[in-house]
Amino acid sequence: MTRAAIGVGMVGYAFMGRAHSQAWRNVGRFFDVPAEPRLAAICGRDEAATQAAADRLGWAAAELDWRRLVERDDVDIVDVCTPGDTHAAIAVAALEAGKHVLCEKPLANTLDEAEAMAAAAAAAPAARTMVAFNYRRVPAVALIRSLVAEGRLGEIRHVRARYLQDWPLDPEFPLLWRFDREQAGTGAIGDLASHIVDLAQHLAGRPIAEVTALTETFIRERPLPSGDGRGPVTVDDAALFLARLEGGAVATFEVSRLAPGHRNGLWIELNGSRGSVTFDLERLNEIELYEAGAGAPAEGFRRTLVTEPEHPYAGAWWPPGHILGWEHTFVHEVRDLLDAIGSGAPAEPDFASGLQVQRVLDAVVRSARTRRWETTAPDGAQPREGSVQ
Amino acid sequence: MTRAAIGVGMVGYAFMGRAHSQAWRNVGRFFDVPAEPRLAAICGRDEAATQAAADRLGWAAAELDWRRLVERDDVDIVDVCTPGDTHAAIAVAALEAGKHVLCEKPLANTLDEAEAMAAAAAAAPAARTMVAFNYRRVPAVALIRSLVAEGRLGEIRHVRARYLQDWPLDPEFPLLWRFDREQAGTGAIGDLASHIVDLAQHLAGRPIAEVTALTETFIRERPLPSGDGRGPVTVDDAALFLARLEGGAVATFEVSRLAPGHRNGLWIELNGSRGSVTFDLERLNEIELYEAGAGAPAEGFRRTLVTEPEHPYAGAWWPPGHILGWEHTFVHEVRDLLDAIGSGAPAEPDFASGLQVQRVLDAVVRSARTRRWETTAPDGAQPREGSVQ
Amino acid sequence: MTRAAIGVGMVGYAFMGRAHSQAWRNVGRFFDVPAEPRLAAICGRDEAATQAAADRLGWAAAELDWRRLVERDDVDIVDVCTPGDTHAAIAVAALEAGKHVLCEKPLANTLDEAEAMAAAAAAAPAARTMVAFNYRRVPAVALIRSLVAEGRLGEIRHVRARYLQDWPLDPEFPLLWRFDREQAGTGAIGDLASHIVDLAQHLAGRPIAEVTALTETFIRERPLPSGDGRGPVTVDDAALFLARLEGGAVATFEVSRLAPGHRNGLWIELNGSRGSVTFDLERLNEIELYEAGAGAPAEGFRRTLVTEPEHPYAGAWWPPGHILGWEHTFVHEVRDLLDAIGSGAPAEPDFASGLQVQRVLDAVVRSARTRRWETTAPDGAQPREGSVQ
Amino acid sequence: MTRAAIGVGMVGYAFMGRAHSQAWRNVGRFFDVPAEPRLAAICGRDEAATQAAADRLGWAAAELDWRRLVERDDVDIVDVCTPGDTHAAIAVAALEAGKHVLCEKPLANTLDEAEAMAAAAAAAPAARTMVAFNYRRVPAVALIRSLVAEGRLGEIRHVRARYLQDWPLDPEFPLLWRFDREQAGTGAIGDLASHIVDLAQHLAGRPIAEVTALTETFIRERPLPSGDGRGPVTVDDAALFLARLEGGAVATFEVSRLAPGHRNGLWIELNGSRGSVTFDLERLNEIELYEAGAGAPAEGFRRTLVTEPEHPYAGAWWPPGHILGWEHTFVHEVRDLLDAIGSGAPAEPDFASGLQVQRVLDAVVRSARTRRWETTAPDGAQPREGSVQ
């Protein structure tokens, strides 16, 4: 292969680090990317663990300080896979060092941090930024986006989305950092709602203008990981919100970590003036599409396996009916980032998009506290009056 | 048959009248009711049409004034199948005349009327009243109620319910009375939300305490039935609301008449501390039940066909696997009313229950206007403050 | 109502008798039949039980000898709901008495009896005969038939059908008459295979030409109903067969009474040169239809709820999305019989059709014994040679 | 990493070659294999194409003659991904050279070749052989195998399996080598039936003893790839067969390339004396399990997402609910082969198992020609007589 190489440095090597590594290693095997990623260095705090991760995941070097990784000459792209409270510092430094940045979601734990990151991105126009909302890269989701964009559903009126999980259902599940507001910012909101807010806006093609929300913490204390007694859960287990999108569509959102039987239950439906479509992450190779008036006298929701050569991303893989898995979304993600770097076109969703999602999450948190509708507008502009009724 | 007879008089003979007639005619063929219903008289305003309905639907006599029907000696039960704006007058008169009353949902178009009806019921303790929330009588729904009551799902934390239809999707569908606030009170709220509010409260076993809502009218004018131009739609096409139930569960609700592909899409899910369950009216013979910890290493949602002899109502019909239809809910409904009349026990849901649903709907309408959380409490008590976040 | 009346006499009052009674009582409420059925007399052997059934099911008189029922002047239609070993005698007598005959399936226990019945029908051209293959009258099935007839699936190449149940899964389930060859003729073959053979031929529009089969009895003895020990099961628990249809389609069939979890699992799929369709009796309001080339880039199986006004039978009932149950098939069946009587057109499937199904079942039984392909042709004509391979 | 390395040489680089390469490259990233595979050399006939494949797929060297690849010192495992007519020569040579062999399915085009391969394997006891029936390595399939082995379904009575595709539905699809008996041996039989025969026997834990079959070629000629007219299709488009397994279970099998809407429709169900289970390759992360008597009063088929840490293979990948794709089966396959090589235990399915599948396919082909039941026994022993009926 005579393709140019491009150096990648990754910070973090847990769940997301493993998934991103798999993507960087494999993307060039399946896609004609403009430059072949070189896994230059991985960064962690524990020397032995970081070196072991480098070996296992295929990185050429191990760093113990992200500042050094950011400065490496052989690193062109910094991939941020750490918890949210460190995103801003790493990403801003990387942008200032002239690197491209891929950052895990949510963009940051606070709106201030997210704004700083978006500002740093704006100040570095030669750098491509991308927030890792990987579910945009499910072929089925990308197909839905194209169907909506073509007008196959007409004007979008309803969006309903939920992301339900059940991993900490057992009240004896320990009080990890994910249950601590200091470290995690929020609970299901940042972890789960960020995904469906991004998807809803992306698929409907419109931003959310305002929300009304409630949050709940059902299990209010959990055993300390140390085993010494119990501590308080200071984040939300669940969040529910209604929203109005620019242009008039209305939406319901629900996220919970305590929905038994839902392992990874991201589900979304859109209803337009001419049709409807649904997507379920646990069956991520499928969509169900309804087009009003099509197919009489046997109208109905049509289950499509999104594995055809003409479907987004799918042609690079296997023949029709040979399904992809969750991890492939990351391959598609880094493919798109490499393409953007190669072409100079903006990557999507970039930090500005990530900031917009953050504004929605912030409005959700505020609304749960104020018990009022809250706008997502940066200047706190008053939301418009309600409609009929 | 030596069973006693009990006379029924029905007001209205359209969609609901046809369904109720089928129930009155058939209940004694399948259930050992304490008294055999006699279809004494049906009431309408048009003489020829009413007589034709009497013949077609099997009623012994036709009346043109509901006051006369209410006074008939051979009528013990008055069955109110008219539009909502006439419920109160008929039901109150029937109660005052000492009759039992079955009333279609929603109980009334306004909260005042519903309160008057509940008061009349309270003042007639010998009369049984029932609101026709027939979906409680789906065997699958009744099974869910018993599973929840037995604690199979643990403490209920989440309810999510929606009722989606698409019959007036075409903007050229005419401006029927259902789109007029004067006659219909509300749109999807009274027609659809009343059902899922009742189901949610019934299945969770807890009333809704407060709501935040939005409503929308997407198609703001429609052709007049006369063909002479267009007129305004003055009710909601859709309503979305969040709720808190007494005891701490949270809920999302959504109703719409403009959800393409959903012909009769009532769907509800409950998540408890130990399990989850779902129901879909378009597959009304089924439930999907998840019980945490059951069946390892093959946990999952279990699809049950609710047609076993030990399932509610099902034993009276056919062998397992021989499914029932929508209309059977009415047979079960009148069976339960006849049983209550026979035993003197309260019927459920009675007018007091119907009033409570009405309070929720009223809070939804208010919240959509005020853009604030609204309580369902009769005295307008302030809702409690929000929780964490 | 000024409709003419037509007298019905029914022999048998068990499961099928209950279902037929419901149909006769209700058909005139929903369909504009040319004559209103009058439930003249029901016939059984036990006086008290027969009278109780008459009362419960709505029959005007009770008879204890089917010969008397057949001779009654007020009986125009004889409805045979008895076990298979008595079908021939009753039906032939009824035809000789000039009555129309509706006969439960399978037409008879033996091919000889079936031939005698078809001959009697041919000798009584003024009488309408119908075999109660009620699943033809599921609206979804009727819709499939019309789609195939219109060529929407192209040339039919594959049929696969199964009918699985599990009611006698417990080896302690008693040795009812259904397990005895003398009384029942066969086991799953007559009870279950008869239905799917009829459906397959009806939907494909072609008769089965030849079969190769195996049968099995997994539970070879069961407790005697008397409680005194155990006796042998002398019929099949399961039957599997391959078939070729006239015109070249190929088919697989499977029936079993020992398929755990399948309460009433009749399922059929057809593949044509242009599309495919499936039907599942446990979700009898639905079909899944695939049309090649339709809907790109989102092709797939389309789930249709067969409850639209334009769907077969459905318009007589309720609005779209309000599903029907198993029992409605019998209402449609007697509607179609009454229409045929009224118009003088042949009823379908008539005794000649029932005889053809019987020939297929007989070939299945023979093939299971001879271990060879067996023809369904009446003269034992040799089947043609195999194709490629 | 201090793991030992083991050299792999692969023959062929088309569809299967791409999938195997992905497996060899990735297995060590996710599984603790005893030796790290080194992608030593790939072999093809066209120099440029082979070198391009080596680059793209990550192989260190390119060979143009499989005999040279087999002789390479740095090759310990020969991976045969060529069409079936070359399997025997390559595999036998590799075994004689002391290499381990992974061979794509079906083992060979003829029974003679398969026997030669099994004999060569038996003569090389130090070599591990494996036939690439990769669907055994779907976690859901492996879970089913363990459930059956534990007796959760009781004694297996019924197996029904089908593998339906539709890629050459268009009669203008060209006459590839897959439609030519000389090169492909058979059509759907070798390509599709081989998979479900292996799965059926593996899951039931019993070999197939005898079959009765029919085959069909619906589209009897197709355009030549050259564009110069049309040529005959000399293999089967579809095959249907019934089978008896050792121990008494009965089975139906169906494969077709002309089943519209089925892109990769491998589906299998087992019914035992205590339960049932189904699997669908298009939703390969799921099983549906029914256990009789479990969960009353809400028995039913339970959909399990086979992504839990305790599920076969799944723990090496991602958290629960993060689904795997089709390609992961190959990673599991080479993991198991590497484990077998490391431990010296037999690999499964080895060439002896592959030969047994071949015997079944051969009996299918014979039965379609003779129109009789054919045994799978190597000595042509007569099948036993039929059972009851």
Side-chain angles (χ1 to χ4, degrees):
Chain A
M1 250 169 318
T2 57
R3 279 206 286 242
I6 186 165
V8 182
M10 187 171 78
V11 192
Y13 52 79
F15 176 24
M16 281 303 118
R18 290 205 302 129
H20 286 224
S21 298
Q22 173 76 344
W24 292 117
R25 285 195 314 264
N26 282 285
V27 63
R29 304 295 179 193
F30 293 91
F31 290 93
D32 285 317
V33 283
E36 179 69 24
R38 207 181 68 85
L39 283 68
I42 189 171
C43 178
R45 281 171 300 193
D46 178 88
E47 183 164 5
T50 306
Q51 186 58 53
D55 290 346
R56 180 82 174 206
L57 302 177
W59 295 85
E63 292 281 1
L64 298 179
D65 181 341
W66 61 259
R67 288 169 197 82
R68 297 218 23 197
L69 179 122
V70 162
E71 290 161 5
R72 285 177 70 116
D73 286 344
D74 62 352
V75 165
D76 303 296
I77 302 171
V78 174
D79 182 359
V80 185
C81 291
T82 52
D85 56 353
T86 59
H87 286 184
I90 302 170
V92 170
L95 287 165
E96 289 173 355
K99 313 294 190 184
H100 308 289
V101 183
L102 173 63
C103 184
E104 259 306 317
K105 43 61 58 180
L107 188 56
N109 275 7
T110 70
L111 194 50
D112 283 352
E113 290 169 339
E115 283 170 344
M117 294 169 78
R128 300 277 76 76
T129 62
M130 182 184 268
V131 188
F133 285 120
N134 59 307
Y135 295 143
R136 289 197 187 191
R137 268 76 193 192
V138 176
V141 170
L143 176 59
I144 291 174
R145 175 62 197 141
S146 73
L147 293 171
V148 172
E150 290 164 14
R152 290 276 285 262
L153 304 189
E155 168 203 4
I156 300 300
R157 290 169 174 164
H158 286 284
V159 180
R160 64 190 63 88
R162 53 177 194 254
Y163 200 161
L164 305 177
Q165 297 187 339
D166 68 354
W167 51 272
L169 183 66
D170 184 346
E172 297 308 307
F173 189 96
L175 190 72
L176 304 182
W177 69 271
R178 287 179 177 276
F179 297 103
D180 175 34
R181 196 189 310 193
E182 291 301 309
Q183 299 170 74
T186 57
I189 292 173
D191 197 19
L192 305 179
S194 60
H195 271 304
I196 56 176
V197 164
D198 180 66
L199 274 192
Q201 297 185 131
H202 174 60
L203 292 179
R206 300 279 192 164
I208 289 170
E210 55 170 355
V211 299
T212 182
L214 74 78
T215 61
E216 188 55 86
T217 305
F218 294 105
I219 299 179
R220 295 190 174 241
E221 60 175 31
R222 290 181 176 277
L224 294 169
S226 63
D228 296 339
R230 308 175 82 83
V233 173
T234 50
V235 298
D236 55 289
D237 287 329
L240 292 66
F241 48 107
L242 309 180
R244 287 186 182 276
L245 280 67
E246 297 289 346
V250 296
T252 61
F253 294 90
E254 186 173 10
V255 292
S256 179
R257 292 168 166 177
L258 296 175
H262 295 280
R263 293 297 192 265
N264 203 19
L266 186 162
W267 179 93
I268 189 167
E269 174 168 1
L270 290 91
N271 304 131
S273 55
R274 293 170 49 192
S276 296
V277 69
T278 70
F279 170 75
D280 176 353
L281 184 62
E282 291 182 358
R283 288 175 168 171
L284 68 81
N285 294 271
E286 304 175 16
I287 65 168
E288 304 232 4
L289 175 69
Y290 176 85
E291 297 183 279
E299 285 196 354
F301 277 89
R302 194 163 67 222
R303 181 173 82 92
T304 296
L305 211 47
V306 187
T307 56
E308 302 291 311
E310 68 267 30
H311 288 153
Y313 306 109
W317 297 97
W318 315 109
H322 294 71
I323 69 170
L324 298 182
W326 170 83
E327 75 189 46
H328 294 82
T329 58
F330 295 96
V331 181
H332 305 160
E333 182 169 277
V334 303
R335 197 282 298 251
D336 290 347
L337 177 59
L338 292 169
D339 273 2
I341 291 169
S343 72
E348 267 300 317
D350 63 10
F351 280 11
S353 293
L355 170 59
Q356 202 279 333
V357 171
Q358 212 73 20
R359 289 195 199 285
V360 177
L361 302 183
D362 189 69
V364 167
V365 171
R366 280 184 283 126
S367 173
R369 195 171 52 232
T370 63
R371 296 170 53 81
R372 307 185 65 124
W373 283 85
E374 294 285 344
T375 179
T376 65
D379 53 1
Q382 284 309 301
R384 62 187 169 128
E385 285 307 297
S387 71
V388 72
Q389 296 293 325
Chain B
M1 250 170 317
T2 58
R3 280 205 286 241
I6 186 166
V8 182
M10 189 171 79
V11 192
Y13 52 80
F15 177 23
M16 281 303 119
R18 289 206 301 131
H20 285 225
S21 298
Q22 172 78 341
W24 291 118
R25 285 195 314 265
N26 282 286
V27 63
R29 303 295 177 191
F30 293 92
F31 291 92
D32 285 318
V33 284
E36 179 70 22
R38 207 181 71 83
L39 283 68
I42 189 171
C43 178
R45 280 172 299 193
D46 178 88
E47 183 164 4
T50 306
Q51 187 58 52
D55 291 344
R56 180 83 174 205
L57 302 176
W59 296 85
E63 293 280 1
L64 298 179
D65 180 342
W66 61 259
R67 290 170 196 83
R68 297 218 26 196
L69 179 124
V70 162
E71 289 160 7
R72 285 176 69 116
D73 287 343
D74 62 353
V75 165
D76 302 295
I77 302 170
V78 173
D79 183 358
V80 184
C81 291
T82 51
D85 55 352
T86 58
H87 287 185
I90 301 170
V92 171
L95 287 165
E96 289 174 354
K99 314 295 190 182
H100 308 289
V101 182
L102 173 63
C103 183
E104 259 306 319
K105 43 61 58 178
L107 188 56
N109 274 8
T110 72
L111 194 49
D112 282 351
E113 290 169 338
E115 284 171 344
M117 293 168 77
R128 301 278 74 78
T129 61
M130 182 184 269
V131 188
F133 285 121
N134 59 307
Y135 296 143
R136 289 196 186 193
R137 268 76 194 192
V138 175
V141 170
L143 176 61
I144 291 174
R145 175 61 198 142
S146 73
L147 294 170
V148 172
E150 290 162 14
R152 290 276 285 265
L153 304 189
E155 168 202 3
I156 300 301
R157 289 168 174 164
H158 286 285
V159 181
R160 64 191 64 86
R162 54 175 191 256
Y163 200 161
L164 305 178
Q165 297 187 339
D166 68 355
W167 50 273
L169 183 66
D170 184 346
E172 298 307 308
F173 190 95
L175 189 72
L176 303 182
W177 68 271
R178 287 179 177 276
F179 297 103
D180 175 35
R181 196 190 308 192
E182 292 301 309
Q183 299 169 73
T186 57
I189 292 173
D191 197 19
L192 304 179
S194 59
H195 270 304
I196 57 177
V197 165
D198 180 66
L199 274 191
Q201 297 185 130
H202 175 60
L203 292 179
R206 300 279 192 165
I208 290 170
E210 54 170 356
V211 300
T212 183
L214 75 78
T215 58
E216 189 55 86
T217 304
F218 294 105
I219 300 179
R220 296 191 174 240
E221 60 174 30
R222 289 182 177 276
L224 294 171
S226 63
D228 295 338
R230 308 173 83 82
V233 173
T234 51
V235 297
D236 54 288
D237 286 329
L240 292 65
F241 48 106
L242 309 179
R244 288 186 182 277
L245 280 67
E246 297 291 344
V250 297
T252 61
F253 294 90
E254 186 173 10
V255 292
S256 179
R257 293 170 165 175
L258 296 176
H262 295 280
R263 292 297 192 266
N264 202 19
L266 186 163
W267 178 92
I268 189 166
E269 174 168 1
L270 290 90
N271 304 131
S273 55
R274 294 169 49 192
S276 297
V277 68
T278 70
F279 170 75
D280 176 353
L281 183 62
E282 291 183 358
R283 288 175 168 171
L284 67 82
N285 294 271
E286 305 176 16
I287 65 169
E288 304 233 4
L289 175 69
Y290 176 86
E291 296 183 280
E299 285 195 354
F301 277 88
R302 194 162 69 221
R303 180 173 81 94
T304 296
L305 210 47
V306 188
T307 55
E308 301 293 311
E310 68 268 28
H311 288 153
Y313 307 108
W317 297 98
W318 315 109
H322 295 70
I323 69 170
L324 297 182
W326 171 83
E327 75 189 45
H328 294 82
T329 59
F330 295 95
V331 181
H332 304 159
E333 182 169 276
V334 302
R335 195 284 298 252
D336 290 348
L337 177 59
L338 292 169
D339 273 2
I341 291 169
S343 72
E348 267 298 318
D350 62 9
F351 280 11
S353 294
L355 171 59
Q356 202 279 334
V357 171
Q358 212 74 20
R359 289 195 198 287
V360 177
L361 302 184
D362 190 68
V364 167
V365 171
R366 279 184 283 126
S367 174
R369 196 172 49 230
T370 63
R371 296 171 52 85
R372 307 186 65 123
W373 284 84
E374 295 285 342
T375 179
T376 66
D379 54 0
Q382 283 309 302
R384 62 189 169 126
E385 285 306 297
S387 72
V388 71
Q389 295 293 328
Chain C
M1 244 168 324
T2 58
R3 279 204 287 242
I6 186 166
V8 183
M10 188 171 79
V11 192
Y13 52 81
F15 176 25
M16 281 303 118
R18 289 205 303 130
H20 286 224
S21 298
Q22 173 76 344
W24 291 119
R25 285 197 313 265
N26 282 285
V27 63
R29 303 296 179 192
F30 293 92
F31 290 92
D32 285 317
V33 283
E36 179 70 24
R38 206 180 70 84
L39 283 68
I42 188 171
C43 178
R45 280 170 299 193
D46 178 86
E47 184 164 5
T50 305
Q51 186 58 53
D55 291 346
R56 181 82 175 204
L57 302 176
W59 296 86
E63 292 282 0
L64 299 179
D65 181 341
W66 61 260
R67 289 169 196 83
R68 299 225 14 205
L69 179 121
V70 161
E71 289 161 5
R72 286 176 68 116
D73 286 344
D74 62 353
V75 165
D76 303 296
I77 302 171
V78 174
D79 182 358
V80 185
C81 291
T82 52
D85 56 352
T86 58
H87 287 185
I90 301 170
V92 170
L95 287 166
E96 289 174 354
K99 314 294 190 184
H100 307 289
V101 183
L102 173 62
C103 184
E104 258 306 319
K105 42 60 56 181
L107 188 56
N109 275 7
T110 71
L111 194 49
D112 282 352
E113 290 168 338
E115 283 171 344
M117 293 169 78
R128 301 275 75 76
T129 62
M130 182 185 269
V131 188
F133 285 120
N134 59 307
Y135 296 142
R136 289 196 186 193
R137 267 77 192 191
V138 176
V141 170
L143 176 60
I144 291 174
R145 175 61 198 142
S146 73
L147 294 170
V148 173
E150 290 163 14
R152 290 276 285 262
L153 304 189
E155 170 202 2
I156 300 300
R157 289 168 175 166
H158 286 285
V159 181
R160 64 191 63 88
R162 53 177 193 254
Y163 200 161
L164 305 178
Q165 297 187 340
D166 69 355
W167 52 272
L169 183 66
D170 184 346
E172 298 308 307
F173 189 96
L175 190 72
L176 303 182
W177 69 270
R178 287 179 177 277
F179 297 104
D180 176 35
R181 195 190 309 192
E182 292 301 308
Q183 299 168 75
T186 58
I189 293 172
D191 198 18
L192 304 179
S194 59
H195 271 304
I196 56 176
V197 164
D198 180 66
L199 274 191
Q201 297 185 132
H202 175 58
L203 291 179
R206 299 280 193 163
I208 290 170
E210 54 170 356
V211 299
T212 182
L214 74 78
T215 59
E216 189 55 86
T217 305
F218 294 105
I219 299 179
R220 297 193 172 240
E221 60 175 29
R222 290 181 177 275
L224 294 170
S226 63
D228 296 338
R230 308 175 82 83
V233 173
T234 50
V235 297
D236 55 289
D237 287 328
L240 293 66
F241 48 107
L242 309 179
R244 286 186 182 276
L245 280 67
E246 297 289 345
V250 297
T252 62
F253 294 91
E254 186 173 10
V255 293
S256 179
R257 291 169 167 177
L258 296 175
H262 295 280
R263 294 297 192 263
N264 203 20
L266 186 163
W267 178 92
I268 189 166
E269 175 169 0
L270 290 91
N271 304 131
S273 55
R274 294 170 48 194
S276 296
V277 68
T278 70
F279 170 76
D280 177 352
L281 184 62
E282 292 182 358
R283 289 176 168 170
L284 68 81
N285 293 271
E286 304 175 17
I287 65 169
E288 304 233 3
L289 175 68
Y290 176 86
E291 296 184 279
E299 285 196 355
F301 277 88
R302 192 162 69 221
R303 180 173 80 93
T304 297
L305 211 47
V306 188
T307 56
E308 302 291 312
E310 67 269 28
H311 288 153
Y313 306 109
W317 298 97
W318 315 109
H322 294 71
I323 70 170
L324 297 182
W326 171 83
E327 75 189 46
H328 294 82
T329 58
F330 295 95
V331 181
H332 305 161
E333 183 169 277
V334 302
R335 196 282 299 252
D336 290 347
L337 178 58
L338 291 169
D339 273 2
I341 290 170
S343 72
E348 266 300 316
D350 62 10
F351 280 11
S353 293
L355 170 60
Q356 202 278 335
V357 171
Q358 212 73 22
R359 289 195 199 285
V360 176
L361 302 183
D362 189 70
V364 167
V365 171
R366 280 184 283 128
S367 173
R369 194 171 53 230
T370 63
R371 296 171 51 82
R372 307 187 64 124
W373 284 84
E374 295 286 343
T375 179
T376 65
D379 54 359
Q382 283 308 299
R384 64 193 168 120
E385 284 308 296
S387 72
V388 72
Q389 297 291 328
Chain D
M1 246 168 324
T2 59
R3 278 204 289 243
I6 186 166
V8 183
M10 188 170 78
V11 192
Y13 52 80
F15 176 25
M16 281 303 118
R18 289 205 302 131
H20 285 225
S21 297
Q22 172 77 341
W24 290 118
R25 286 196 313 264
N26 282 285
V27 63
R29 303 295 178 191
F30 293 92
F31 291 92
D32 285 317
V33 283
E36 179 69 23
R38 207 180 70 82
L39 282 67
I42 190 172
C43 178
R45 279 172 299 192
D46 178 87
E47 184 164 4
T50 307
Q51 187 58 53
D55 291 344
R56 181 82 175 205
L57 302 176
W59 295 85
E63 292 281 1
L64 298 179
D65 181 341
W66 61 259
R67 290 170 195 81
R68 297 218 24 195
L69 179 122
V70 162
E71 289 161 6
R72 286 176 69 115
D73 286 343
D74 63 353
V75 165
D76 303 295
I77 302 170
V78 173
D79 182 359
V80 185
C81 291
T82 51
D85 56 351
T86 59
H87 287 185
I90 301 170
V92 171
L95 287 166
E96 288 174 354
K99 314 294 191 184
H100 308 288
V101 182
L102 173 63
C103 183
E104 258 306 318
K105 43 62 54 178
L107 189 55
N109 275 7
T110 72
L111 193 50
D112 283 352
E113 290 168 337
E115 283 171 343
M117 293 169 79
R128 301 277 74 78
T129 61
M130 183 183 268
V131 187
F133 285 121
N134 59 308
Y135 295 142
R136 288 196 187 194
R137 268 75 194 193
V138 175
V141 170
L143 176 60
I144 291 174
R145 175 61 199 142
S146 73
L147 293 170
V148 172
E150 290 163 13
R152 291 276 284 263
L153 304 190
E155 169 203 3
I156 300 301
R157 290 169 174 164
H158 286 285
V159 181
R160 64 191 64 86
R162 53 175 193 255
Y163 201 161
L164 306 178
Q165 297 186 339
D166 68 355
W167 51 272
L169 183 66
D170 184 345
E172 298 307 307
F173 190 95
L175 190 72
L176 303 182
W177 69 270
R178 287 178 179 277
F179 297 103
D180 175 35
R181 196 190 309 194
E182 291 303 309
Q183 299 169 74
T186 57
I189 292 173
D191 196 18
L192 305 179
S194 60
H195 271 302
I196 56 176
V197 165
D198 180 65
L199 274 192
Q201 297 186 130
H202 175 60
L203 293 178
R206 300 279 192 164
I208 290 169
E210 54 170 354
V211 299
T212 183
L214 75 79
T215 59
E216 189 54 86
T217 305
F218 293 105
I219 299 178
R220 296 191 173 241
E221 60 175 30
R222 289 181 177 276
L224 294 170
S226 63
D228 296 339
R230 310 175 80 83
V233 174
T234 51
V235 297
D236 55 289
D237 287 327
L240 293 65
F241 47 107
L242 309 180
R244 287 186 181 277
L245 279 68
E246 297 290 344
V250 297
T252 61
F253 294 91
E254 186 173 10
V255 292
S256 178
R257 292 169 166 177
L258 296 176
H262 295 279
R263 293 297 192 263
N264 202 18
L266 186 162
W267 179 93
I268 188 167
E269 174 169 1
L270 289 90
N271 304 130
S273 55
R274 294 170 49 194
S276 297
V277 68
T278 69
F279 170 76
D280 177 353
L281 184 62
E282 291 182 357
R283 288 176 167 170
L284 67 82
N285 294 270
E286 305 175 17
I287 65 168
E288 304 233 4
L289 175 68
Y290 176 87
E291 296 183 279
E299 286 196 353
F301 277 88
R302 192 162 69 221
R303 180 173 82 93
T304 296
L305 211 47
V306 188
T307 56
E308 302 292 311
E310 68 268 29
H311 288 153
Y313 306 108
W317 297 98
W318 315 108
H322 295 71
I323 69 169
L324 297 182
W326 170 83
E327 75 188 45
H328 294 81
T329 59
F330 294 95
V331 181
H332 305 160
E333 182 169 277
V334 302
R335 196 284 298 255
D336 289 347
L337 177 59
L338 292 170
D339 274 1
I341 290 169
S343 72
E348 267 299 317
D350 62 9
F351 281 11
S353 292
L355 171 59
Q356 201 278 334
V357 171
Q358 213 72 22
R359 288 196 199 286
V360 176
L361 302 184
D362 190 69
V364 168
V365 171
R366 280 185 283 127
S367 174
R369 195 171 52 229
T370 64
R371 296 171 50 86
R372 308 186 64 124
W373 284 84
E374 294 286 342
T375 179
T376 66
D379 54 1
Q382 283 310 299
R384 63 191 167 121
E385 284 307 298
S387 72
V388 71
Q389 297 291 328

